[in-house]
Amino acid sequence: MFWKSWEFWQPANHMEEIIGILIAIGVFLLFLFLRKTLTKLVFAIILKLTQKVPGSLFTNITRAFEKPMHWLFIVIGLYIAVAYFPYWDKTNLLFLHLIRSSIIFIVGWGLFNLADASSALFTKINEKFDFNIDEILIPILSKTIRFVIVAITIAVIAEEFQYSVSTFVAGLGIGGLAFALAAKDALANLFGGVVIITEKPFTIGDWILTPTVEGTVEDITFRSTKIRTFADAVVTVPNSTLANEAITNWSKMNKRRVNFNVRLPHDTSNEKVRDITRKIETMIKNHPDVHPETILVKFDEFKDNGYDIMLYFFTKTTAWEEHLDVKQDINLQILSLLDEEGLSIAIPARQVFDRDNQEGSSVSRSTSSES
């Protein structure tokens, strides 16, 4: 039992018991209210003793263990307070197990938080030592470390309460087949994640297109990949689905294609068609943001309502907004060249027949609409 056996208060020890209760409450409240100050004091001492530790690493450790340290001092305060409380048996095994388990949990909590900062740690190691750790592996490694920390913490707490972890593991072996059948989808997603990590069709931050979704990759886990669409929604796609789909990685482009037609009216002379085609080609070739490798500007087709000049080239930038800016600038320059030549864009004609005229015959008039 937690509580000590006790008789009704005797006058002789009445005051002593009251003093013990007040000391216990005072000690607990002292640790409760000073937990933040004590935490800062401990970190200051550690920083002074380990001056060679990089500042960024110590900052990560401080952030990871700040809240766990608050609770650690509360547990310490509780343990010390119990020593003065006259009606509580601090030697009780269950009480000691709870205290030790709380400390184990608090340490595991701090390490779990620190594992999240390990992503920054891996990035710094990758930059400093040139280990070429792909960005896709950094969150996976971080999540793996956190999973291991949780498993070890649970195992240690279980051992503290005299529960055999080996028996639990043996039980998993017996039920392994049933577990595998029940978790076949999860295993498929796990192997799909392994395929994505090893083949690297994309990484975090890439813009991809699949039959399922299009957007920017935000996170990759063992089970799924999170993709933010251009509508700012987050779509979670199982890794098994992505591993079996065709994936277009737009971020891997070295240049971005532009392909459209400029249509001139039928009344445009041969000389005008030749001149405007040549001027547009010269303008595009001299444009600083157009890739010089492939530039095609040709009088391509005869259409019902005009002559088509085909434009086919690539922008140097692959960023969507910058690509549109280049395309807009070229379109505006084409309009300026057409104005200089006294030309306009051909507009398709549409025939409307009026059968309600006085003579009863069909009269046609032409209206225009944009193509």
PDB file of all heavy atoms in Angstrom, residues 87-118:
ATOM      1  N   TYR A  87       2.210  10.153   5.821  1.00  0.00           N
ATOM      2  CA  TYR A  87       1.254   9.069   5.581  1.00  0.00           C
ATOM      3  C   TYR A  87       1.465   8.405   4.214  1.00  0.00           C
ATOM      4  O   TYR A  87       0.546   7.827   3.654  1.00  0.00           O
ATOM      5  CB  TYR A  87      -0.186   9.604   5.678  1.00  0.00           C
ATOM      6  CG  TYR A  87      -0.421  10.373   6.940  1.00  0.00           C
ATOM      7  CD1 TYR A  87      -0.767  11.713   6.892  1.00  0.00           C
ATOM      8  CD2 TYR A  87      -0.281   9.752   8.177  1.00  0.00           C
ATOM      9  CE1 TYR A  87      -0.980  12.432   8.060  1.00  0.00           C
ATOM     10  CE2 TYR A  87      -0.492  10.462   9.351  1.00  0.00           C
ATOM     11  CZ  TYR A  87      -0.839  11.797   9.282  1.00  0.00           C
ATOM     12  OH  TYR A  87      -1.035  12.497  10.441  1.00  0.00           O
ATOM     13  N   TRP A  88       2.655   8.512   3.682  1.00  0.00           N
ATOM     14  CA  TRP A  88       2.939   7.916   2.361  1.00  0.00           C
ATOM     15  C   TRP A  88       4.230   7.107   2.474  1.00  0.00           C
ATOM     16  O   TRP A  88       5.238   7.612   2.954  1.00  0.00           O
ATOM     17  CB  TRP A  88       3.093   9.012   1.313  1.00  0.00           C
ATOM     18  CG  TRP A  88       3.037   8.492  -0.096  1.00  0.00           C
ATOM     19  CD1 TRP A  88       3.979   7.786  -0.759  1.00  0.00           C
ATOM     20  CD2 TRP A  88       1.955   8.651  -1.011  1.00  0.00           C
ATOM     21  NE1 TRP A  88       3.584   7.487  -2.024  1.00  0.00           N
ATOM     22  CE2 TRP A  88       2.332   8.008  -2.217  1.00  0.00           C
ATOM     23  CE3 TRP A  88       0.707   9.267  -0.939  1.00  0.00           C
ATOM     24  CZ2 TRP A  88       1.507   7.970  -3.327  1.00  0.00           C
ATOM     25  CZ3 TRP A  88      -0.099   9.231  -2.061  1.00  0.00           C
ATOM     26  CH2 TRP A  88       0.294   8.588  -3.229  1.00  0.00           C
ATOM     27  N   ASP A  89       4.174   5.886   2.003  1.00  0.00           N
ATOM     28  CA  ASP A  89       5.325   4.992   2.089  1.00  0.00           C
ATOM     29  C   ASP A  89       6.148   5.108   0.810  1.00  0.00           C
ATOM     30  O   ASP A  89       5.773   4.568  -0.230  1.00  0.00           O
ATOM     31  CB  ASP A  89       4.860   3.548   2.288  1.00  0.00           C
ATOM     32  CG  ASP A  89       6.028   2.598   2.500  1.00  0.00           C
ATOM     33  OD1 ASP A  89       7.166   3.089   2.655  1.00  0.00           O
ATOM     34  OD2 ASP A  89       5.799   1.373   2.484  1.00  0.00           O
ATOM     35  N   LYS A  90       7.267   5.800   0.871  1.00  0.00           N
ATOM     36  CA  LYS A  90       8.087   6.018  -0.318  1.00  0.00           C
ATOM     37  C   LYS A  90       8.887   4.783  -0.721  1.00  0.00           C
ATOM     38  O   LYS A  90       9.483   4.759  -1.801  1.00  0.00           O
ATOM     39  CB  LYS A  90       9.044   7.199  -0.106  1.00  0.00           C
ATOM     40  CG  LYS A  90      10.177   6.922   0.860  1.00  0.00           C
ATOM     41  CD  LYS A  90      11.177   8.052   0.838  1.00  0.00           C
ATOM     42  CE  LYS A  90      12.365   7.734   1.737  1.00  0.00           C
ATOM     43  NZ  LYS A  90      13.391   8.795   1.687  1.00  0.00           N
ATOM     44  N   THR A  91       8.939   3.756   0.155  1.00  0.00           N
ATOM     45  CA  THR A  91       9.666   2.524  -0.192  1.00  0.00           C
ATOM     46  C   THR A  91       8.783   1.515  -0.902  1.00  0.00           C
ATOM     47  O   THR A  91       9.250   0.431  -1.254  1.00  0.00           O
ATOM     48  CB  THR A  91      10.240   1.885   1.085  1.00  0.00           C
ATOM     49  OG1 THR A  91       9.158   1.526   1.953  1.00  0.00           O
ATOM     50  CG2 THR A  91      11.185   2.836   1.797  1.00  0.00           C
ATOM     51  N   ASN A  92       7.529   1.854  -1.134  1.00  0.00           N
ATOM     52  CA  ASN A  92       6.623   0.955  -1.836  1.00  0.00           C
ATOM     53  C   ASN A  92       7.138   0.684  -3.245  1.00  0.00           C
ATOM     54  O   ASN A  92       7.508   1.607  -3.976  1.00  0.00           O
ATOM     55  CB  ASN A  92       5.225   1.581  -1.891  1.00  0.00           C
ATOM     56  CG  ASN A  92       4.219   0.673  -2.555  1.00  0.00           C
ATOM     57  OD1 ASN A  92       4.097   0.690  -3.774  1.00  0.00           O
ATOM     58  ND2 ASN A  92       3.507  -0.116  -1.755  1.00  0.00           N
ATOM     59  N   LEU A  93       7.177  -0.590  -3.651  1.00  0.00           N
ATOM     60  CA  LEU A  93       7.766  -0.973  -4.940  1.00  0.00           C
ATOM     61  C   LEU A  93       7.004  -0.361  -6.116  1.00  0.00           C
ATOM     62  O   LEU A  93       7.621   0.085  -7.093  1.00  0.00           O
ATOM     63  CB  LEU A  93       7.802  -2.503  -5.064  1.00  0.00           C
ATOM     64  CG  LEU A  93       8.833  -3.220  -4.179  1.00  0.00           C
ATOM     65  CD1 LEU A  93       8.734  -4.732  -4.378  1.00  0.00           C
ATOM     66  CD2 LEU A  93      10.240  -2.728  -4.515  1.00  0.00           C
ATOM     67  N   LEU A  94       5.677  -0.363  -6.039  1.00  0.00           N
ATOM     68  CA  LEU A  94       4.900   0.198  -7.143  1.00  0.00           C
ATOM     69  C   LEU A  94       5.194   1.684  -7.310  1.00  0.00           C
ATOM     70  O   LEU A  94       5.332   2.185  -8.436  1.00  0.00           O
ATOM     71  CB  LEU A  94       3.404  -0.025  -6.897  1.00  0.00           C
ATOM     72  CG  LEU A  94       2.459   0.511  -7.990  1.00  0.00           C
ATOM     73  CD1 LEU A  94       2.805  -0.091  -9.345  1.00  0.00           C
ATOM     74  CD2 LEU A  94       1.007   0.242  -7.623  1.00  0.00           C
ATOM     75  N   PHE A  95       5.316   2.392  -6.182  1.00  0.00           N
ATOM     76  CA  PHE A  95       5.640   3.821  -6.243  1.00  0.00           C
ATOM     77  C   PHE A  95       7.017   4.039  -6.875  1.00  0.00           C
ATOM     78  O   PHE A  95       7.198   4.914  -7.723  1.00  0.00           O
ATOM     79  CB  PHE A  95       5.608   4.410  -4.827  1.00  0.00           C
ATOM     80  CG  PHE A  95       6.072   5.839  -4.771  1.00  0.00           C
ATOM     81  CD1 PHE A  95       5.304   6.858  -5.282  1.00  0.00           C
ATOM     82  CD2 PHE A  95       7.307   6.153  -4.195  1.00  0.00           C
ATOM     83  CE1 PHE A  95       5.728   8.176  -5.221  1.00  0.00           C
ATOM     84  CE2 PHE A  95       7.744   7.468  -4.141  1.00  0.00           C
ATOM     85  CZ  PHE A  95       6.951   8.485  -4.651  1.00  0.00           C
ATOM     86  N   LEU A  96       7.993   3.213  -6.487  1.00  0.00           N
ATOM     87  CA  LEU A  96       9.339   3.339  -7.054  1.00  0.00           C
ATOM     88  C   LEU A  96       9.334   3.002  -8.546  1.00  0.00           C
ATOM     89  O   LEU A  96      10.035   3.646  -9.330  1.00  0.00           O
ATOM     90  CB  LEU A  96      10.306   2.428  -6.297  1.00  0.00           C
ATOM     91  CG  LEU A  96      10.551   2.798  -4.828  1.00  0.00           C
ATOM     92  CD1 LEU A  96      11.458   1.773  -4.174  1.00  0.00           C
ATOM     93  CD2 LEU A  96      11.150   4.193  -4.718  1.00  0.00           C
ATOM     94  N   HIS A  97       8.550   1.986  -8.933  1.00  0.00           N
ATOM     95  CA  HIS A  97       8.447   1.642 -10.362  1.00  0.00           C
ATOM     96  C   HIS A  97       7.865   2.812 -11.151  1.00  0.00           C
ATOM     97  O   HIS A  97       8.319   3.116 -12.265  1.00  0.00           O
ATOM     98  CB  HIS A  97       7.574   0.398 -10.543  1.00  0.00           C
ATOM     99  CG  HIS A  97       8.237  -0.877 -10.131  1.00  0.00           C
ATOM    100  ND1 HIS A  97       9.568  -1.134 -10.363  1.00  0.00           N
ATOM    101  CD2 HIS A  97       7.744  -1.994  -9.512  1.00  0.00           C
ATOM    102  CE1 HIS A  97       9.870  -2.333  -9.906  1.00  0.00           C
ATOM    103  NE2 HIS A  97       8.785  -2.882  -9.372  1.00  0.00           N
ATOM    104  N   LEU A  98       6.839   3.462 -10.589  1.00  0.00           N
ATOM    105  CA  LEU A  98       6.210   4.596 -11.276  1.00  0.00           C
ATOM    106  C   LEU A  98       7.194   5.763 -11.423  1.00  0.00           C
ATOM    107  O   LEU A  98       7.237   6.416 -12.468  1.00  0.00           O
ATOM    108  CB  LEU A  98       4.962   5.046 -10.520  1.00  0.00           C
ATOM    109  CG  LEU A  98       3.758   4.108 -10.587  1.00  0.00           C
ATOM    110  CD1 LEU A  98       2.651   4.583  -9.660  1.00  0.00           C
ATOM    111  CD2 LEU A  98       3.239   3.988 -12.019  1.00  0.00           C
ATOM    112  N   ILE A  99       7.978   6.011 -10.357  1.00  0.00           N
ATOM    113  CA  ILE A  99       8.955   7.108 -10.424  1.00  0.00           C
ATOM    114  C   ILE A  99      10.009   6.815 -11.493  1.00  0.00           C
ATOM    115  O   ILE A  99      10.333   7.663 -12.352  1.00  0.00           O
ATOM    116  CB  ILE A  99       9.621   7.322  -9.057  1.00  0.00           C
ATOM    117  CG1 ILE A  99       8.615   7.891  -8.052  1.00  0.00           C
ATOM    118  CG2 ILE A  99      10.823   8.263  -9.183  1.00  0.00           C
ATOM    119  CD1 ILE A  99       8.127   9.281  -8.355  1.00  0.00           C
ATOM    120  N   ARG A 100      10.564   5.590 -11.461  1.00  0.00           N
ATOM    121  CA  ARG A 100      11.608   5.230 -12.445  1.00  0.00           C
ATOM    122  C   ARG A 100      11.045   5.215 -13.863  1.00  0.00           C
ATOM    123  O   ARG A 100      11.708   5.653 -14.806  1.00  0.00           O
ATOM    124  CB  ARG A 100      12.217   3.878 -12.080  1.00  0.00           C
ATOM    125  CG  ARG A 100      13.156   3.931 -10.883  1.00  0.00           C
ATOM    126  CD  ARG A 100      14.008   2.689 -10.792  1.00  0.00           C
ATOM    127  NE  ARG A 100      13.209   1.549 -10.369  1.00  0.00           N
ATOM    128  CZ  ARG A 100      13.150   1.107  -9.108  1.00  0.00           C
ATOM    129  NH1 ARG A 100      13.819   1.731  -8.144  1.00  0.00           N
ATOM    130  NH2 ARG A 100      12.408   0.057  -8.793  1.00  0.00           N
ATOM    131  N   SER A 101       9.813   4.722 -14.022  1.00  0.00           N
ATOM    132  CA  SER A 101       9.191   4.690 -15.355  1.00  0.00           C
ATOM    133  C   SER A 101       8.951   6.105 -15.874  1.00  0.00           C
ATOM    134  O   SER A 101       9.090   6.375 -17.075  1.00  0.00           O
ATOM    135  CB  SER A 101       7.868   3.919 -15.304  1.00  0.00           C
ATOM    136  OG  SER A 101       8.082   2.580 -14.927  1.00  0.00           O
ATOM    137  N   SER A 102       8.594   7.013 -14.955  1.00  0.00           N
ATOM    138  CA  SER A 102       8.387   8.409 -15.365  1.00  0.00           C
ATOM    139  C   SER A 102       9.688   9.015 -15.870  1.00  0.00           C
ATOM    140  O   SER A 102       9.702   9.726 -16.889  1.00  0.00           O
ATOM    141  CB  SER A 102       7.852   9.231 -14.185  1.00  0.00           C
ATOM    142  OG  SER A 102       6.607   8.734 -13.746  1.00  0.00           O
ATOM    143  N   ILE A 103      10.790   8.725 -15.177  1.00  0.00           N
ATOM    144  CA  ILE A 103      12.084   9.255 -15.613  1.00  0.00           C
ATOM    145  C   ILE A 103      12.484   8.662 -16.962  1.00  0.00           C
ATOM    146  O   ILE A 103      12.977   9.376 -17.856  1.00  0.00           O
ATOM    147  CB  ILE A 103      13.159   8.956 -14.550  1.00  0.00           C
ATOM    148  CG1 ILE A 103      12.837   9.728 -13.266  1.00  0.00           C
ATOM    149  CG2 ILE A 103      14.543   9.345 -15.062  1.00  0.00           C
ATOM    150  CD1 ILE A 103      13.736   9.398 -12.101  1.00  0.00           C
ATOM    151  N   ILE A 104      12.246   7.356 -17.157  1.00  0.00           N
ATOM    152  CA  ILE A 104      12.548   6.713 -18.443  1.00  0.00           C
ATOM    153  C   ILE A 104      11.722   7.352 -19.555  1.00  0.00           C
ATOM    154  O   ILE A 104      12.228   7.638 -20.647  1.00  0.00           O
ATOM    155  CB  ILE A 104      12.262   5.198 -18.356  1.00  0.00           C
ATOM    156  CG1 ILE A 104      13.254   4.538 -17.391  1.00  0.00           C
ATOM    157  CG2 ILE A 104      12.372   4.555 -19.743  1.00  0.00           C
ATOM    158  CD1 ILE A 104      12.878   3.119 -17.023  1.00  0.00           C
ATOM    159  N   PHE A 105      10.437   7.571 -19.272  1.00  0.00           N
ATOM    160  CA  PHE A 105       9.557   8.188 -20.275  1.00  0.00           C
ATOM    161  C   PHE A 105      10.029   9.592 -20.624  1.00  0.00           C
ATOM    162  O   PHE A 105      10.027   9.988 -21.800  1.00  0.00           O
ATOM    163  CB  PHE A 105       8.120   8.233 -19.745  1.00  0.00           C
ATOM    164  CG  PHE A 105       7.175   8.974 -20.640  1.00  0.00           C
ATOM    165  CD1 PHE A 105       6.648   8.382 -21.778  1.00  0.00           C
ATOM    166  CD2 PHE A 105       6.816  10.286 -20.354  1.00  0.00           C
ATOM    167  CE1 PHE A 105       5.781   9.075 -22.612  1.00  0.00           C
ATOM    168  CE2 PHE A 105       5.946  10.995 -21.182  1.00  0.00           C
ATOM    169  CZ  PHE A 105       5.435  10.376 -22.314  1.00  0.00           C
ATOM    170  N   ILE A 106      10.438  10.357 -19.612  1.00  0.00           N
ATOM    171  CA  ILE A 106      10.896  11.737 -19.850  1.00  0.00           C
ATOM    172  C   ILE A 106      12.159  11.748 -20.697  1.00  0.00           C
ATOM    173  O   ILE A 106      12.293  12.559 -21.630  1.00  0.00           O
ATOM    174  CB  ILE A 106      11.121  12.444 -18.495  1.00  0.00           C
ATOM    175  CG1 ILE A 106       9.769  12.729 -17.831  1.00  0.00           C
ATOM    176  CG2 ILE A 106      11.913  13.731 -18.672  1.00  0.00           C
ATOM    177  CD1 ILE A 106       9.865  13.183 -16.397  1.00  0.00           C
ATOM    178  N   VAL A 107      13.105  10.842 -20.426  1.00  0.00           N
ATOM    179  CA  VAL A 107      14.324  10.760 -21.244  1.00  0.00           C
ATOM    180  C   VAL A 107      13.975  10.372 -22.678  1.00  0.00           C
ATOM    181  O   VAL A 107      14.495  10.951 -23.648  1.00  0.00           O
ATOM    182  CB  VAL A 107      15.311   9.756 -20.619  1.00  0.00           C
ATOM    183  CG1 VAL A 107      16.498   9.533 -21.547  1.00  0.00           C
ATOM    184  CG2 VAL A 107      15.792  10.245 -19.262  1.00  0.00           C
ATOM    185  N   GLY A 108      13.089   9.387 -22.821  1.00  0.00           N
ATOM    186  CA  GLY A 108      12.656   8.983 -24.170  1.00  0.00           C
ATOM    187  C   GLY A 108      11.957  10.104 -24.904  1.00  0.00           C
ATOM    188  O   GLY A 108      12.138  10.291 -26.114  1.00  0.00           O
ATOM    189  N   TRP A 109      11.162  10.887 -24.169  1.00  0.00           N
ATOM    190  CA  TRP A 109      10.470  12.039 -24.755  1.00  0.00           C
ATOM    191  C   TRP A 109      11.475  13.044 -25.307  1.00  0.00           C
ATOM    192  O   TRP A 109      11.337  13.549 -26.424  1.00  0.00           O
ATOM    193  CB  TRP A 109       9.584  12.661 -23.682  1.00  0.00           C
ATOM    194  CG  TRP A 109       8.774  13.849 -24.113  1.00  0.00           C
ATOM    195  CD1 TRP A 109       8.566  14.285 -25.398  1.00  0.00           C
ATOM    196  CD2 TRP A 109       8.064  14.755 -23.259  1.00  0.00           C
ATOM    197  NE1 TRP A 109       7.771  15.404 -25.402  1.00  0.00           N
ATOM    198  CE2 TRP A 109       7.443  15.717 -24.103  1.00  0.00           C
ATOM    199  CE3 TRP A 109       7.890  14.848 -21.878  1.00  0.00           C
ATOM    200  CZ2 TRP A 109       6.672  16.751 -23.596  1.00  0.00           C
ATOM    201  CZ3 TRP A 109       7.114  15.877 -21.369  1.00  0.00           C
ATOM    202  CH2 TRP A 109       6.515  16.818 -22.217  1.00  0.00           C
ATOM    203  N   GLY A 110      12.507  13.342 -24.522  1.00  0.00           N
ATOM    204  CA  GLY A 110      13.524  14.281 -24.992  1.00  0.00           C
ATOM    205  C   GLY A 110      14.270  13.776 -26.214  1.00  0.00           C
ATOM    206  O   GLY A 110      14.498  14.526 -27.168  1.00  0.00           O
ATOM    207  N   LEU A 111      14.636  12.485 -26.200  1.00  0.00           N
ATOM    208  CA  LEU A 111      15.329  11.909 -27.363  1.00  0.00           C
ATOM    209  C   LEU A 111      14.424  11.884 -28.586  1.00  0.00           C
ATOM    210  O   LEU A 111      14.887  12.081 -29.715  1.00  0.00           O
ATOM    211  CB  LEU A 111      15.806  10.496 -27.028  1.00  0.00           C
ATOM    212  CG  LEU A 111      16.905  10.392 -25.953  1.00  0.00           C
ATOM    213  CD1 LEU A 111      17.179   8.935 -25.624  1.00  0.00           C
ATOM    214  CD2 LEU A 111      18.181  11.090 -26.424  1.00  0.00           C
ATOM    215  N   PHE A 112      13.127  11.645 -28.365  1.00  0.00           N
ATOM    216  CA  PHE A 112      12.160  11.653 -29.469  1.00  0.00           C
ATOM    217  C   PHE A 112      12.100  13.039 -30.108  1.00  0.00           C
ATOM    218  O   PHE A 112      12.092  13.174 -31.333  1.00  0.00           O
ATOM    219  CB  PHE A 112      10.787  11.247 -28.938  1.00  0.00           C
ATOM    220  CG  PHE A 112       9.706  11.179 -29.988  1.00  0.00           C
ATOM    221  CD1 PHE A 112       9.537  10.038 -30.748  1.00  0.00           C
ATOM    222  CD2 PHE A 112       8.866  12.264 -30.206  1.00  0.00           C
ATOM    223  CE1 PHE A 112       8.542   9.971 -31.715  1.00  0.00           C
ATOM    224  CE2 PHE A 112       7.877  12.207 -31.165  1.00  0.00           C
ATOM    225  CZ  PHE A 112       7.719  11.060 -31.927  1.00  0.00           C
ATOM    226  N   ASN A 113      12.060  14.078 -29.264  1.00  0.00           N
ATOM    227  CA  ASN A 113      12.066  15.450 -29.791  1.00  0.00           C
ATOM    228  C   ASN A 113      13.378  15.758 -30.509  1.00  0.00           C
ATOM    229  O   ASN A 113      13.396  16.443 -31.534  1.00  0.00           O
ATOM    230  CB  ASN A 113      11.855  16.448 -28.656  1.00  0.00           C
ATOM    231  CG  ASN A 113      10.472  16.357 -28.050  1.00  0.00           C
ATOM    232  OD1 ASN A 113       9.547  15.834 -28.679  1.00  0.00           O
ATOM    233  ND2 ASN A 113      10.311  16.841 -26.832  1.00  0.00           N
ATOM    234  N   LEU A 114      14.485  15.266 -29.959  1.00  0.00           N
ATOM    235  CA  LEU A 114      15.787  15.519 -30.571  1.00  0.00           C
ATOM    236  C   LEU A 114      15.899  14.851 -31.928  1.00  0.00           C
ATOM    237  O   LEU A 114      16.558  15.362 -32.829  1.00  0.00           O
ATOM    238  CB  LEU A 114      16.895  15.025 -29.644  1.00  0.00           C
ATOM    239  CG  LEU A 114      18.338  15.316 -30.085  1.00  0.00           C
ATOM    240  CD1 LEU A 114      18.577  16.816 -30.187  1.00  0.00           C
ATOM    241  CD2 LEU A 114      19.324  14.683 -29.121  1.00  0.00           C
ATOM    242  N   ALA A 115      15.242  13.706 -32.098  1.00  0.00           N
ATOM    243  CA  ALA A 115      15.291  12.998 -33.385  1.00  0.00           C
ATOM    244  C   ALA A 115      14.639  13.812 -34.489  1.00  0.00           C
ATOM    245  O   ALA A 115      14.992  13.686 -35.656  1.00  0.00           O
ATOM    246  CB  ALA A 115      14.611  11.633 -33.266  1.00  0.00           C
ATOM    247  N   ASP A 116      13.699  14.673 -34.131  1.00  0.00           N
ATOM    248  CA  ASP A 116      13.092  15.543 -35.131  1.00  0.00           C
ATOM    249  C   ASP A 116      14.103  16.573 -35.615  1.00  0.00           C
ATOM    250  O   ASP A 116      14.153  16.913 -36.782  1.00  0.00           O
ATOM    251  CB  ASP A 116      11.876  16.247 -34.536  1.00  0.00           C
ATOM    252  CG  ASP A 116      11.122  17.058 -35.580  1.00  0.00           C
ATOM    253  OD1 ASP A 116      10.942  16.547 -36.686  1.00  0.00           O
ATOM    254  OD2 ASP A 116      10.734  18.194 -35.281  1.00  0.00           O
ATOM    255  N   ALA A 117      14.937  17.058 -34.724  1.00  0.00           N
ATOM    256  CA  ALA A 117      15.994  18.000 -35.100  1.00  0.00           C
ATOM    257  C   ALA A 117      17.129  17.288 -35.820  1.00  0.00           C
ATOM    258  O   ALA A 117      18.017  17.932 -36.373  1.00  0.00           O
ATOM    259  CB  ALA A 117      16.540  18.702 -33.857  1.00  0.00           C
ATOM    260  N   SER A 118      17.103  15.953 -35.839  1.00  0.00           N
ATOM    261  CA  SER A 118      18.167  15.217 -36.525  1.00  0.00           C
ATOM    262  C   SER A 118      18.148  15.474 -38.022  1.00  0.00           C
ATOM    263  O   SER A 118      19.148  15.284 -38.703  1.00  0.00           O
ATOM    264  CB  SER A 118      18.027  13.713 -36.255  1.00  0.00           C
ATOM    265  OG  SER A 118      16.827  13.205 -36.820  1.00  0.00           O
TER     266      SER A 118
END
